[in-house]
Amino acid sequence: MVLSHFLYIFAEKKKQMKKIILTFATLVAMAACTQNQPSKAETNETATATQTEVADSIAPETKQANMNEVQAYLKECGTFFIATVDGDQPHVRAFGVSEIIQDRLYIMTGKVKDVYKQMAKNGKFEICALKPSGTEWMRLSGTLVNDESLSVKEEFLNRNEGLKSMYKANDGNMAVLYITNGEARFCSFSEPERKVKF
């Protein structure tokens, strides 16, 4: 009886020691990871630099082919949804036009709209476009850059006649923005995700 009680206490103490050792090892590992981690600002700077390097390292013909594929996808979907950031609050809106002009993929909006003000303050965005089948979609991210070229605005309007009743190239309101560091992720319920960059 005394022996079985002693063995029970010994087993319990052994379990407690295992827990203490495991906890200590976990804390040591976490401290080592935290010590070597760069600051958030350093991480963001590195990520942006890496994105730019990756975009620059893509062959021009591959970049163009990827952009054409993304544009064709947006056209097939018709309507796509763009997310912007306002402080810590995301906002999502429906868009319907995009064009490749002078080897850049553009979207268009009005400067009086909140969406433009958010894009001007923080150019990071994400688009989600869903095909009519409802089983395939594309997520497109990158940074939007405003372009004040009248020739680009005129070309955009010439390709989208319906917009001419609302915008003019020199009205001070029309905004055309092109995508830099674009990454498209093609997704579906039946196939693995595929990524392209431009």
Side-chain angles (χ1 to χ4, degrees):
M1 186 76 170
V2 173
L3 181 61
S4 63
H5 182 67
F6 174 76
L7 290 173
Y8 172 77
I9 291 172
F10 179 76
E12 288 299 308
K13 294 287 181 193
K14 193 174 173 183
K15 282 182 193 173
Q16 287 176 357
M17 280 305 292
K18 266 188 180 176
K19 282 183 186 175
I20 290 167
I21 290 168
L22 185 61
T23 303
F24 180 72
T26 304
L27 289 171
V28 169
M30 286 172 62
C33 288
T34 306
Q35 195 172 27
N36 295 326
Q37 281 184 347
S39 69
K40 191 173 181 182
E42 289 172 333
T43 304
N44 288 343
E45 285 172 15
T46 304
T48 304
T50 303
Q51 284 177 337
T52 305
E53 285 167 15
V54 168
D56 289 344
S57 69
I58 301 169
E61 58 275 8
T62 304
K63 219 183 228 188
Q64 192 62 48
N66 292 347
M67 195 185 301
N68 290 341
E69 182 180 12
V70 168
Q71 169 66 349
Y73 203 104
L74 291 173
K75 291 285 188 186
E76 184 179 347
C77 293
T79 301
F80 52 91
F81 297 87
I82 186 164
T84 58
V85 178
D86 184 12
D88 65 350
Q89 177 62 50
H91 294 279
V92 180
R93 288 126 173 133
F95 271 57
V97 290
S98 60
E99 296 293 343
I100 294 177
I101 303 170
Q102 298 173 5
D103 298 327
R104 290 174 171 167
L105 179 55
Y106 286 86
I107 62 169
M108 185 247 136
T109 189
K111 290 182 180 178
V112 296
K113 296 180 179 180
D114 286 341
V115 66
Y116 173 77
K117 293 169 188 171
Q118 288 154 19
M119 291 170 177
K121 195 169 183 181
N122 183 347
K124 290 183 180 176
F125 75 96
E126 186 159 281
I127 283 171
C128 187
L130 180 68
K131 280 194 176 181
S133 65
T135 61
E136 296 173 80
W137 62 98
M138 177 185 68
R139 291 170 55 203
L140 172 62
S141 60
T143 305
L144 290 165
V145 178
N146 187 44
D147 188 341
E148 291 294 343
S149 308
L150 282 178
S151 60
V152 173
K153 293 179 181 182
E154 286 165 357
E155 181 62 26
F156 204 103
L157 289 173
N158 288 338
R159 295 186 194 181
N160 297 276
E161 292 285 331
L163 295 174
K164 287 186 173 180
S165 61
M166 298 179 281
Y167 297 97
K168 296 205 174 357
N170 60 355
D171 64 5
N173 179 40
M174 182 181 179
V176 289
L177 304 102
Y178 64 88
I179 296 169
T180 61
N181 299 321
E183 179 180 89
R185 306 167 86 159
F186 298 97
C187 312
S188 80
F189 290 124
S190 57
E191 298 292 329
E193 181 180 288
R194 182 171 59 86
K195 293 181 188 178
V196 302
K197 296 177 186 283
F198 62 91

